[in-house]
Amino acid sequence: MMINKRTLRQVVVFVSVASTICIVLFCQTSTWSFHTDACVCNCAMDSEGLLWFSQRYKPSANVTLNTKNSPLDFHTYWWWKSLQNESTVADYKKVVEVLFSLFPDKDHYSDTSPSRCRTCAVVGNSGNLIGSHYGALIDSQDFVIRMNEGPTKGFEQDVGSKTTHRVIYPESAVDMDETTHLILLPFKILDLQWLISIFTTRHIDLTYMYVKPSVKADRNKVMILHPAFMKYIYESWLQSHGGYPSTGFISLIFALHICDEVSMFGFGPTKDGVWHHYFDDFSSDSNGGPHDGGSEGEVIAQLHQKHRITTYKGWE
Ligand code: C5P
C-alpha cells in the first residue's frame, strides 16, 4: 500500500513536471511562430544582416529634439558647435526654451511596434531621377521625405507630388504647404534662432550667407533633428569618416528610425557619373566638401544588399 502511494506520488510529480515542460515548449514554439507570422515589414534580413544592422542602429537614439531630451553632454555640444565654427555664443538652453514655446514639444514617432508597417520614400536631389518614371511609386509610400529645395512641380512623373516631410537648414530653406512637416537640420545655435525668427520677428536673414527671413510652413508641424542624433549617425553609421554626414544620409537614417520599410530615390550619380541635381545643372557636394560620399555610398549599398532598404538608381 505504502509502495503504491509513493509510486502514485512519483507518477503525479512526473506527469506535472512533464506537462509543465510541454506547456513551456509549446508556448515558446507558438510565440516564435507568432513572431514569424507577425513580421509584416522588413522580413528579408538574415542573421548576418541583422547583426551588421544592430551594430550600427541604436533604437534608443533621440531622433527629434524636445525640452525633456534637449540637454547635451559636453562632447555632443562641442562636436555640434564645431560643425560650422559658430562664433556667436547664444545660450542654447534659453533658445530651446523659446523653441518649444512655439513648436510641438513632444516625443515624435515613438509608436514603433512589430505590427506597424509604415513605408517611406527618401527622395534625394540627384539628376538620376530624370526620366525614371518613379513618381507614382514615390507617392504610394506613407511618408515622402524630400530635402532642401528639391521641387515637385514640373517633375511629377519622375519624383511624384507628395511631400510629407522636408528636411532643410536655413541656407537651403524653401516654402512648403500645410501638409508638409518642416524638419530642421540644425548645424548651429543660430539655426535654432533662425527657426524661431521665421515664425516671429523675421529679423534673421544672414548666417554665413543670405538666408530667407521667412518661410511658409505650418508651425504645428515643425520638428527639429536632435544634435545628438547627428553625432550618432556620424559615429555609428559612418565611423567618423568625413566632416559630417550629408543631408541625404541624415534623412535616410531618420527614415530608418521612423519608418518600417524604406525606399531611396535620387541618390548618387547619373549613369554617366554626373552628380548634378534633377532640377538644375548645379553639381551637389554630396560626393565631396565636408561629406564622405564614399563611406555614405558603402553604407547605403550594404543596407540595400542586406535587404534593409531598397534603392532605386534611376538606371540599371
Ligand atoms: O544637393 P543637395 O544637398 O540639395 O541634395 C540633397 C541630398 O541628395 C544630398 O545630401 C545627397 O545625399 C543627395 N544627392 C545625391 N546625388 C546627387 C545630388 C544629391 O546623392 N547628384
Side-chain angles (χ1 to χ4, degrees), residues 20 40 43 81 99 101 109 113 142 167 173 176 186 216 232 257 297:
T20 308
V40 287
C43 310
K81 283 269 293 166
L99 264 184
S101 64
Y109 305 120
S113 99
D142 297 323
V167 181
M176 49 200 93
K216 204 166 118 287
Y232 143 71
H257 278 257

Side-chain angles (χ1 to χ4, degrees), residues 124-126 147-149 246-249 266-268 275-277 284 286:
N125 289 335
S126 168
M147 55 211 73
N148 303 338
E149 74 261 53
S246 71
T247 311
F249 194 77
F267 280 71
W275 284 82
H276 69 85
H277 290 148
S284 169
S286 44

Side-chain angles (χ1 to χ4, degrees), residues 46-57:
D46 57 17
S47 52
E48 190 248 332
L50 278 168
L51 177 66
W52 180 91
F53 187 74
S54 66
Q55 284 163 347
R56 288 155 181 84
Y57 184 81

Side-chain angles (χ1 to χ4, degrees), residues 144-208:
V144 178
I145 304 168
R146 300 186 195 273
M147 55 211 73
N148 303 338
E149 74 261 53
T152 53
K153 201 160 181 285
F155 300 93
E156 289 84 351
Q157 205 174 30
D158 293 333
V159 311
S161 56
K162 176 165 143 187
T163 308
T164 58
H165 299 69
R166 187 174 287 276
V167 181
I168 54 111
Y169 44 92
E171 298 80 9
S172 75
V174 288
D175 291 337
M176 49 200 93
D177 66 33
E178 64 287 347
T179 62
T180 303
H181 289 277
L182 184 163
I183 312 288
L184 178 75
L185 178 51
F187 291 103
K188 48 194 176 302
I189 297 178
L190 183 57
D191 295 355
L192 303 175
Q193 294 174 290
W194 169 83
L195 186 67
I196 296 167
S197 166
I198 59 169
F199 288 99
T200 56
T201 54
R202 299 176 179 173
H203 72 285
I204 300 182
D205 61 3
L206 190 72
T207 57
Y208 56 81

